[in-house]
């Protein structure tokens, strides 16, 4: 299964096409549902204690890392702006990690 990804990295933005096994998305969703310390039951538990949060985070991080080992890079090309590309591909006009992004509107009052 081929996935189009947009990477924004310090060394430049890239458009990447990766090949992943068919179960990859399912495994990623399951891992996020079961172990991600930001969501659901684990999220609720993680709010109670930093130790619990750290515990789930290390499991989650480990599993996600293993999943990414199954990604095979097929194609990678530098692009001018990951923001422009992700809006074009995913229609994602919401959240952005960049400061002073010209593509993504900033939160009002910032
Ligand atoms: Zn942006």
């Amino acid at each position: 299964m081929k996935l189009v990804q947009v990477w924004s990295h310090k060394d430049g933005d890239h458009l990447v096409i990766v090949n992943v096994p068919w179960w990859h998305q399912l495994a990623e969703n399951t891992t996020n549902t079961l172990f991600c310390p930001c969501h659901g039951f684990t999220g609720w538990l993680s709010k109670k204690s930093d130790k619990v949060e750290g515990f789930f985070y290390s499991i989650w991080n480990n599993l996600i890392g293993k999943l990414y080992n199954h990604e095979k890079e097929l194609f990678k090309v530098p692009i001018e702006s990951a923001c422009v590309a992700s809006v074009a591909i995913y229609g994602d006009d919401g959240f952005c990690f960049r400061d002073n992004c010209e593509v993504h509107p900033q939160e009002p009052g910032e």
Side-chain angles (χ1 to χ4, degrees):
M1 197 173 110
K2 291 179 181 62
L3 289 180
V4 178
Q5 299 183 342
V6 177
W7 293 358
S8 57
H9 281 178
K10 269 180 276 161
D11 58 339
D13 295 351
H14 289 84
L15 184 71
V16 189
I17 296 174
V18 295
N19 204 10
V20 297
W22 63 269
W23 47 263
H24 192 275
Q25 203 94 48
L26 188 71
E28 187 177 18
N29 289 344
T30 309
T31 304
N32 285 340
T33 309
L34 292 181
F35 297 112
C36 178
C38 320
H39 299 110
F41 183 61
T42 44
W44 180 79
L45 279 177
S46 297
K47 282 207 189 74
K48 311 252 164 209
S49 141
D50 285 348
K51 264 199 189 128
V52 174
E53 185 177 8
F55 173 70
F56 282 123
Y57 182 76
S58 69
I59 297 178
W60 176 73
N61 203 31
N62 198 287
L63 289 173
I64 289 286
K66 285 203 170 64
L67 270 180
Y68 286 144
N69 289 339
H70 291 278
E71 279 188 6
K72 194 161 168 267
E73 237 173 74
L74 300 175
F75 177 76
K76 184 178 173 188
V77 66
I79 52 175
E80 207 163 306
S81 163
C83 289
V84 172
S86 72
V87 170
I89 297 169
Y90 307 114
D92 146 42
D93 56 0
F95 188 70
C96 179
F97 289 102
R98 285 201 164 137
D99 296 333
N100 305 319
C101 179
E102 288 176 6
V103 179
H104 292 103
Q106 300 297 300
E107 306 245 353
E110 266 186 31

